[in-house]
Structures are given as C-alpha cells and as structure tokens.
Amino acid sequence: MLKNYFKIAFRNLIKNKVYSGINISGLAVGMAATIMIGLWIADELSYDDYFKNKSHIAQVFQSQTMNNTIGTGPAIPRPLEFALRQDHADNFKHIIMASWQQPRYLKYGETTIYRDGNAMQEGAPNMLDLEIVAGVQNGLSEKNSIMLSETAARSLFGKTDGLGKIIKVNNEDNLMVTAVYRDIPQNNSFSDMQYIIPWKHYITTQEWLSWSKDKWDNNSFQLFVQINDNNNMEAVTAKIKDIKKNADADMVQFNPQLFLLPMRDWYLRSDFENGVQAGGRIENVWLFGVIGLFILLLACINFVNLSTARSEKRATEVGIRKSIGSKRSQLIFQFLSESFLIVKLSFVFAIGIVLLFLNGFNNLASKSIVFPWSSVQFWCISVLFIILTSFLAGSYPALYLSSFNPVSVLKGTFKSGRFAALPRKVLVVTQFTVSVALIIGTLVVMNQIQFSKDRPVGYNKDGLIQIPVMSNEFTGKSEIMREQFIASGGALEMVGTSAPMTQVWSNRSGYTWEGKPAGFQEDLAHTSVNYEFTQTMGLKIIAGRGFSREFATDSNAVILNETAVKYMGIKDPIGKYIRDSDTEEPNEPLQIIGVVEDLVIQSPYSPVKQAMYVFNREDNTAYYNVRLNPKQSTTENLSLIEDVFKTNFPNIPFDYQFVDEEYGAKFKSEERIASLARVFTVLAIFISCLGLFGLASFVAEQRTKEIGVRKVLGASISQLWLLLSKDFITLVVIALVIASPLAYYIMGQWLQKFSYRTTVGWDVFVIACFGALIITLITVSFQAIKAATSNPVKSLRTE
C-alpha cells in the first residue's frame, strides 16, 4: 500500500510539472536557508567547545558603583589572586592570573614575527587542556621559557619544532621554547593566542608590576579559574563576592562585587547593563533562529496554498477512492506521503544549494563552517527536520482534500465554497507580512550602521597610520623618528601616544580639582601624548591650545575633551589645575591648557567617554601616529616611511594599520548581521513571490474561459490585467498595513540598545511598501498578461 501511495505521488509530480517545480523549488530554498542558519547557530552555540573543561572554567568579573551607576568588567586587581589562594583554594582546581592579550616581536636568527599572546601562570596549559605537539605540558614552569602555537613555531623555525631554541621577545628578553601547542580553532576564546610567556617572567618586566601586588585599586589584570568538579559557579560566587570590599576599606565606597562568569557565557552573554547580565550575541542567535523558522514557514505556505488551490483537480480522485471503500485516514496518509516525497526531494536539492553556497556564506558570516557529513547528530536532526516539515506542509492539504463528499463529487456538483479561498488569502498575507517586516528590519539595521559611520569622530582619520612600537628598543626615540619621517617626505607630522587612537587602554581616578563635588568618583580615560598631538590628529580645539614646544610648562599640562569638562563640572577650565592624589608627588599639578572636540575612540554606538590627554614625559610610547603626505601616493609614502623605520630598527618588521580601517572594523559585527539579514530577506521575498506566481498561474488557468468571453466582448488587455492583479495587490496592501506597525515596534526596541542611534524614519516604510508592491506587480503581471494576450478561440473551442 505504501508503495502504491508513493507511485501515485510520483505520477502527480510528473503530471503537474509546473506546480511540482514551484513546490520543490520553494521548499528547497527555504530548507537550504534554514540548514545554513542552523549550521551558523550550531557554530555560535559551540563556541569554546574546544576546551574540555569548559563547564568548570570561568573568568572573575567585578561590578563597581560610581556615582550611582554600576559598571561591570573583567579587569581585576592583582591582590585578588593571593586572597583566593589563601582563603578559598579548596574551591578551585586552577587559579590563573593573566595579562591582557597583546602583540610582541618574536625573533629567532634573522626571522622576526609580530604575534598576539598572553602572559599566564603555569597552570594555564592544564586548565585550557592545550594539545601539546612538542615539549612538555608544564611549559611555563621555568621563568625564562615560552610556549608557541604551531603556526608561530612554523613561522620562526620552519619544519622543526624549535624546542630548546632561544628566541628574543621584543628585542629585550631571551626565552627558551619549552613547548609547542596545536593552534586553537577560530570559534574559541584565545584563538589568536600565538604564544604564552610565564607570569613570573612578565611581572619582572616593568616596574609598576612589582608594586601592583598590593594595590586593590589597580584593576589591570585578568583572572581565570577552574572550579572543582563538585562545585557550582553560583556557590563559589557567593563565597568570593565581597573579598575586595572586605580586604581594603577604601574599596567600600565603590561597593565592589566579584562574581564568576562561566566560559559558556563569555561569547554569547557578556553584556551587562547597570550590573545586570543583559545578553549579547545570544540575541543574534535567537534572531536568526526565528528568521530561519519563518523562511521555512513561508516555503510550507506555498505548498499548502498550491495544494488546496488545486483541490478541484483532485476531487474526483478522492470521490472514487471513498466510494470504493477508502477510509479518510488512508487518504490522509496518502496525501502526507505525497508531502513527504516532495519534502525529501526538496531536502536533496537543499543540500546541493548549501554545498554550492557554503563558502560564500562563510565569507559573509566570517566563519569556517564545514558541512557535517560525518555527524550522526546532524543526520538524525535532518530526518526529524524532513518529517516535521512534511507534516507542517502537508497536514492541512491532507485534512482538506480528504474531507470531500464523494456523492457531490461524483455527481459533478462539487464546487469550492465561497470561503474556500479565505485560508489561502490569509496565508498569502502572512507571507508578505513576514517579508515586508524583514525588509523594514534590514533597512533599519543598515541605516543604524550608516548613521554611526557618519558620526563625527573628532579627528581626521584619513591618511593616518599607526605603527606599534611596544618595545624598550623604541623608548626615547620618538623625536628622532618624527624628524626622520618628516625629512623623508612621506609624512607631514607624527605624534607618539600610549594607546592606539581607536581604543582606550587606561582609565584613571584619584584626581582632585577646584569645585570637585564631595563624594564624586571620577573615571577618566587616560592617554599620554607628545607635543604634536593636536596637529597630527587634526583635532578641533574648542578652547585654549594644544601642547607646544614653546611652553616649557607643558610637560605638566593636560588637555580635556568636551565631555570631560561637563563630567567634571569645571567652568572656564583653561588655566585651572588638576592634581593626581594617587601619585607620590601630589603637589605637582596638571594645568588645563586646552579643550578639544570629543574623539570617538571606543564604540561608535556609545556616548564619548570623558578623556584626558597628558604630556608623555617618559616617552613610553606604544604607537607612532603618522600623518601621510597628501601630495604623494599612499604607496610612495609608505615606502619612504618603511625605509626610515628599517634604517633605525633593522631587526623589527615594519607593521602598520590605517586608522580609518581600524575604526571601520568596529562596525564589522553589525555589518555581518546586516549582510546576513539582507540575504535571508531576499530569500524570503523570493519564496513568497514563487508562491504568488504559482497562485497567479492557477487563477489564470481557472478563469481561462471567463477571460476568453471578456475578450470576445471587447475587454482590453489592461482591464484583464487589472482583473487578475487586483486581488493579489489587495492582499499585499493588507500585509503592509500589518507589517509596518509590527516592524516599527520591534526595530524601535532593537535600537534602544544603542546610545547613539538613528530613528525608524518614514522613508524606510515608503521604500519597503513601494518595493513590495512593485515586486508583487512584476510577479503577478507575467501570468496576468500571458492570460490576457492568449487567443480566446482556443479557450472557448470546447463550448
């Protein structure tokens, strides 16, 4: 019997090629989109699965209250490590202090590479369960050792692993390679970690690190832990949350609360608002999960619509089967079998579409997803996916077709009721409601990105490059390099800074100034700069002046941004003084000599942070910021600057970044989401139009004789086109009316997460509505005009 069902189903497919093609195509595209979204979601949810101890690894975060606002982050003070080891060691398997990831120069022989890495305590390789391909697991036990990733080792030593070899780090320290670990895959934390140096070596490299061990207010480090197998994160958090407040009386005013953020939340749920976990990338996972379900639903709606629309074609078959004894359950099973066959064929085509476009999808989503041929889980889910889709697409047509009265069918009196088309109309409205909402949503996301890109950044980032110089070899040479860069003709100006212009590396407090409110707890972004700061960066000076060599006192001067002046409540700031109460020389004040327009350094979607720029007396520069000569090509400028750099530092690779590209990278995440949304919106529209095309074709076929009579009686092509198109246009207009307020509300809520945001403008709705109507007219018009221009003699010949 089952064989017979599938034989009849296959014959129906062959007999109705056009409708079968539309059904299979729509379902295949819908299923392919859903599969790709599913693979993307699986990749997102599997982030950090490389680490076998993932469920027990956490990072220590802290929340602090400043001026009634709670800030949360992973920066912690060094004494916390000692407190945990002393009083809470029985809760942890590993307690690992770590630096922030930063690039360093690694040199062996004549080869020098520039790679990101961390300083960590010696238990890190075990906690992270790094796969050691050469050397020992405890490769950080010796002070002057270093562990390398396979890629870094290959770059330095070629085909050998380099064990026992001495490499020079930042042209300062000689460290011996004790282990090589397998590269950590892309979708994992620490995937960029190309080396690890011992913590006990790191804390001897800079003077400030020696006294940081007693400073509870110096939040300059990271702390990772692995809790014991019999513990849970919440219980351990409860034990440690007040350590900082209890250990240092000065901290009580900030009400510091420590907690463990599990590794499973680092990537997906790392956003906090006023001390409360507020999601993160998990929102994108939910978003695309919903989009995937809607796209599959749109494809299933096509199947339902076309199956029920052609009900009269199957009525006689149903009548005969019922009259010879077929039960309704058997008919339902037959129609579900047909649905299963179509879905199975669609799934095969969907797999082909996924394989064809997977590389492009990876490029678009910045992923390295591989099709899971060998995954039993994937194929089990696929079988379930086919069964559920078959039921979703075929259940209503099966129930509807099997309900026909055999007597009226066989007497020839069966006709679809006046409300038979109502469910189809509702489904068409649903399709276009979803499609239009996706169009509006995508346009709003694109507008928000462009709005933020157009935001004034407060400096001229075009023609500006930054060169990392984080090595003692560069100390004290900023002035010499500036003169030589300018003399080469490749640069107009240069300034050294303690941080890149696209990031805040240091936040400071402990300042006093005239008129400071009692109990005010300031938090200022701090950057050290050289004399040519305002000239090189192209800053707009609001009041006062920039640093100048003409004033010897500028070595004790400070420049504030506009937000800092308002934040600190300083009126007429020029000439006023700021004292650093935390320094050993509290009587040496900083004089405010200038106020500059706000610089957008951190997120382009957030308010500008209050910032101060102080003169760099010690010339501990981290970046050379070079303004290229606009009268020459960029290639020529870079060649001249590289020659100067290589002359002075022959053993260090010339590495640079364009500041506008670094700033543009801040939009990458949102741009990827917008690109993915665009693709899936186009697919949703395609599927909806495919169904509309099928329905228009069916309606035109159903009204063939009516059209022939109207043509004979003198109806024009335009009148016939309007006759066949107006019903569909009406349905799309209804969809627009429903989708517009729905999309307005949803996107309005989405925009709330951005402090600097655009609005949901009327132009978005005009574009979406006009576009939907044009697409509908184009889709329907093909069949309408084809029917209107057909020869009426052929359609009326049988009468």
Side-chain angles (χ1 to χ4, degrees):
M1 197 68 177
L2 189 62
K3 180 181 178 182
N4 185 53
Y5 287 156
F6 281 110
K7 184 183 292 185
I8 293 171
F10 183 74
R11 287 174 179 173
N12 275 315
L13 288 180
I14 300 300
K15 182 180 179 182
N16 303 291
K17 295 183 179 64
V18 173
Y19 298 101
S20 299
I22 292 173
N23 267 334
I24 292 173
S25 299
L27 280 172
V29 171
M31 294 175 85
T34 306
I35 291 169
M36 282 196 280
I37 289 175
L39 292 175
W40 181 84
I41 289 175
D43 188 80
E44 291 285 284
L45 295 178
S46 65
Y47 207 88
D48 281 330
D49 278 0
Y50 176 80
F51 303 109
K52 296 178 182 178
N53 303 317
K54 175 181 177 180
S55 60
H56 291 86
I57 295 175
Q59 184 170 11
V60 180
F61 271 56
Q62 69 167 317
S63 294
Q64 294 189 100
T65 303
M66 299 183 72
N67 304 317
N68 298 318
T69 300
I70 301 175
T72 302
I76 58 96
R78 190 176 164 197
L80 179 60
E81 174 209 351
F82 309 122
L84 289 181
R85 292 190 189 280
Q86 179 177 327
D87 301 325
H88 300 277
D90 57 334
N91 293 302
F92 303 102
K93 187 174 290 187
H94 291 290
I95 299 172
I96 306 296
M97 287 294 293
S99 68
W100 300 96
Q101 186 165 293
Q102 70 177 74
R104 288 180 171 88
Y105 296 104
L106 308 178
K107 181 184 178 184
Y108 178 74
E110 298 300 316
T111 303
T112 303
I113 60 177
Y114 189 61
R115 295 290 188 271
D116 281 331
N118 284 67
M120 289 184 164
Q121 290 182 316
E122 59 185 272
N126 287 319
M127 182 183 75
L128 299 177
D129 199 30
L130 297 182
E131 186 178 348
I132 305 299
V133 295
V136 293
Q137 187 77 28
N138 60 340
L140 302 176
S141 59
E142 297 296 327
K143 178 181 175 181
N144 294 317
S145 61
I146 187 170
M147 297 178 68
L148 299 176
S149 70
E150 274 190 297
T151 298
R154 196 177 301 117
S155 298
L156 282 172
F157 309 115
K159 295 181 179 180
T160 64
D161 52 40
L163 287 181
K165 301 288 177 63
I166 304 296
I167 66 174
K168 188 176 281 293
V169 179
N170 274 352
N171 285 329
E172 301 161 8
D173 305 311
N174 293 315
L175 303 181
M176 184 174 71
V177 179
T178 54
V180 176
Y181 58 90
R182 195 170 303 284
D183 287 359
I184 299 171
Q186 180 182 342
N187 66 329
N188 291 278
S189 301
F190 308 110
S191 60
D192 294 332
M193 188 171 66
Q194 296 288 294
Y195 67 84
I196 313 175
I197 62 175
W199 178 257
K200 49 192 171 186
H201 172 82
Y202 171 72
I203 57 177
T204 64
T205 57
Q206 299 177 57
E207 183 180 348
W208 70 273
L209 289 168
S210 63
W211 54 258
S212 64
K213 63 182 179 181
D214 300 318
K215 294 287 186 179
W216 282 96
D217 61 346
N218 183 1
N219 299 303
S220 300
F221 308 96
Q222 299 184 92
L223 181 58
F224 301 96
V225 297
Q226 180 181 341
I227 63 173
N228 288 326
D229 294 343
N230 59 347
N231 263 336
N232 63 72
M233 300 290 178
E234 292 76 15
V236 177
T237 290
K239 294 177 182 179
I240 71 170
K241 69 175 185 177
D242 290 323
I243 286 180
K244 188 174 178 182
K245 184 165 55 177
N246 295 334
D248 192 324
D250 292 337
M251 293 292 103
V252 174
Q253 60 180 319
F254 301 109
N255 189 30
Q257 299 286 309
L258 302 171
F259 64 93
L260 301 183
L261 186 71
M263 181 179 267
R264 65 175 180 272
D265 287 349
W266 293 359
Y267 180 74
L268 293 174
R269 300 175 182 87
S270 59
D271 290 350
F272 290 84
E273 292 180 7
N274 210 27
V276 178
Q277 196 169 12
R281 291 184 179 91
I282 190 65
E283 295 169 5
N284 294 333
V285 172
W286 285 110
L287 171 66
F288 283 105
V290 171
I291 289 176
L293 290 176
F294 272 125
I295 288 177
L296 183 62
L297 179 64
L298 297 184
C300 291
I301 286 174
N302 283 352
F303 183 91
V304 171
N305 274 345
L306 290 177
S307 297
T308 56
R310 296 183 62 78
S311 58
E312 290 185 29
K313 300 285 185 180
R314 304 292 299 273
T316 303
E317 176 191 343
V318 172
I320 292 173
R321 284 182 174 276
K322 280 193 170 184
S323 66
I324 60 176
S326 289
K327 297 178 181 178
R328 189 180 180 189
S329 59
Q330 292 175 314
L331 292 172
I332 290 173
F333 193 76
Q334 178 194 333
F335 291 125
L336 285 175
S337 299
E338 291 183 20
S339 171
F340 179 76
L341 178 62
I342 292 174
V343 170
K344 191 164 68 170
L345 288 173
S346 300
F347 181 78
V348 173
F349 285 112
I351 294 296
I353 294 172
V354 170
L355 293 174
L356 186 63
F357 292 101
L358 188 57
N359 286 338
F361 180 76
N362 277 332
N363 292 334
L364 192 67
S366 189
K367 291 285 187 182
S368 298
I369 298 171
V370 177
F371 193 84
W373 290 109
S374 59
S375 172
V376 176
Q377 184 182 22
F378 171 78
W379 292 111
C380 289
I381 292 174
S382 295
V383 171
L384 184 62
F385 179 57
I386 291 171
I387 293 171
L388 290 177
T389 305
S390 301
F391 184 77
L392 182 65
S395 56
Y396 179 73
L399 292 171
Y400 178 73
L401 293 173
S402 63
S403 67
F404 294 159
N405 186 335
V407 176
S408 59
V409 168
L410 296 177
K411 287 175 65 177
T413 59
F414 171 80
K415 289 289 181 183
S416 298
R418 57 181 298 189
F419 296 111
L422 183 60
R424 290 197 295 276
K425 292 180 179 180
V426 171
L427 291 175
V428 169
V429 170
T430 302
Q431 278 188 315
F432 275 88
T433 298
V434 172
S435 297
V436 171
L438 285 174
I439 294 173
I440 294 171
T442 303
L443 290 174
V444 171
V445 172
M446 292 167 62
N447 282 354
Q448 170 62 22
I449 294 172
Q450 193 58 49
F451 180 75
S452 298
K453 281 186 172 181
D454 294 339
R455 181 183 186 180
V457 296
Y459 64 96
N460 181 11
K461 61 183 183 294
D462 298 325
L464 185 67
I465 65 169
Q466 54 188 22
I467 304 170
V469 289
M470 289 170 284
S471 166
N472 288 341
E473 191 163 336
F474 296 98
T475 302
K477 297 183 179 178
S478 293
E479 187 59 32
I480 296 173
M481 295 304 295
R482 171 182 171 270
E483 292 174 356
Q484 293 187 21
F485 281 149
I486 295 173
S488 72
L492 284 184
E493 193 53 271
M494 187 206 93
V495 64
T497 58
S498 61
M501 290 311 302
T502 53
Q503 297 178 47
V504 172
W505 276 11
S506 177
N507 294 285
R508 301 277 182 91
S509 60
Y511 293 99
T512 60
W513 60 89
E514 182 183 342
K516 179 179 179 180
F520 186 79
Q521 301 159 335
E522 77 281 1
D523 177 28
L524 297 165
H526 180 280
T527 305
S528 299
V529 301
N530 294 138
Y531 282 115
E532 291 73 27
F533 178 56
T534 55
Q535 303 95 303
T536 304
M537 306 310 300
L539 306 185
K540 182 178 179 181
I541 299 176
I542 305 299
R545 60 178 177 82
F547 294 108
S548 173
R549 298 172 188 274
E550 298 177 7
F551 298 89
T553 56
D554 277 7
S555 61
N556 289 324
V558 62
I559 295 174
L560 302 177
N561 68 352
E562 290 178 279
T563 296
V565 173
K566 296 174 185 175
Y567 173 79
M568 300 166 75
I570 303 177
K571 296 182 179 179
D572 301 321
I574 304 304
K576 300 284 180 67
Y577 289 90
I578 301 174
R579 296 182 184 275
D580 188 348
S581 59
D582 285 345
T583 64
E584 295 178 0
E585 302 178 31
N587 295 318
E588 188 176 358
L590 300 173
Q591 184 181 37
I592 303 172
I593 63 169
V595 178
V596 296
E597 191 175 80
D598 287 339
L599 280 69
V600 180
I601 296 177
Q602 293 177 293
S603 170
Y605 304 106
S606 301
V608 173
K609 185 169 185 178
Q610 52 277 5
M612 61 190 305
Y613 305 95
V614 301
F615 186 77
N616 191 352
R617 286 178 290 181
E618 298 177 1
D619 195 24
N620 54 345
T621 299
Y623 280 87
Y624 291 158
N625 298 272
V626 183
R627 174 70 60 188
L628 300 180
N629 187 350
K631 296 181 180 180
Q632 298 176 160
S633 69
T634 300
T635 303
E636 186 176 356
N637 286 330
L638 291 175
S639 177
L640 292 170
I641 290 170
E642 183 177 8
D643 288 343
V644 172
F645 187 90
K646 284 292 188 183
T647 300
N648 287 273
F649 309 107
N651 298 319
I652 298 178
F654 177 61
D655 188 77
Y656 65 91
Q657 302 96 35
F658 286 97
V659 173
D660 58 347
E661 291 180 358
E662 290 296 299
Y663 181 78
K666 295 177 180 291
F667 299 93
K668 289 299 182 184
S669 178
E670 283 73 21
E671 285 179 334
R672 279 196 294 270
I673 297 300
S675 298
L676 289 172
R678 272 200 303 271
V679 169
F680 294 126
T681 298
V682 170
L683 291 178
I685 294 169
F686 171 77
I687 292 169
S688 298
C689 289
L690 201 62
L692 203 61
F693 180 85
L695 282 179
S697 176
F698 171 74
V699 169
E701 179 185 333
Q702 195 178 41
R703 303 177 73 173
T704 300
K705 291 182 173 60
E706 177 191 348
I707 293 169
V709 171
R710 287 179 179 275
K711 288 194 72 174
V712 170
L713 294 177
S716 65
I717 293 177
S718 60
Q719 289 173 323
L720 294 172
W721 171 81
L722 182 62
L723 173 72
L724 294 171
S725 302
K726 65 180 181 180
D727 287 344
F728 293 107
I729 297 298
T730 301
L731 296 178
V732 173
V733 169
I734 294 172
L736 295 176
V737 171
I738 298 172
S740 296
L742 186 65
Y744 179 83
Y745 173 77
I746 293 173
M747 297 315 298
Q749 294 296 113
W750 178 78
L751 286 171
Q752 292 303 310
K753 72 177 185 176
F754 301 106
S755 300
Y756 187 82
R757 56 180 177 267
T758 186
T759 57
V760 185
W762 60 268
D763 56 321
V764 169
F765 296 96
V766 170
I767 294 171
C769 295
F770 185 75
L773 288 172
I774 291 298
I775 291 170
T776 303
L777 284 174
I778 292 172
T779 304
V780 174
S781 293
F782 177 81
Q783 287 295 343
I785 294 173
K786 179 182 176 183
T789 56
S790 62
N791 188 347
V793 174
K794 292 182 179 179
S795 60
L796 298 175
R797 181 179 297 167
T798 57
E799 295 295 329

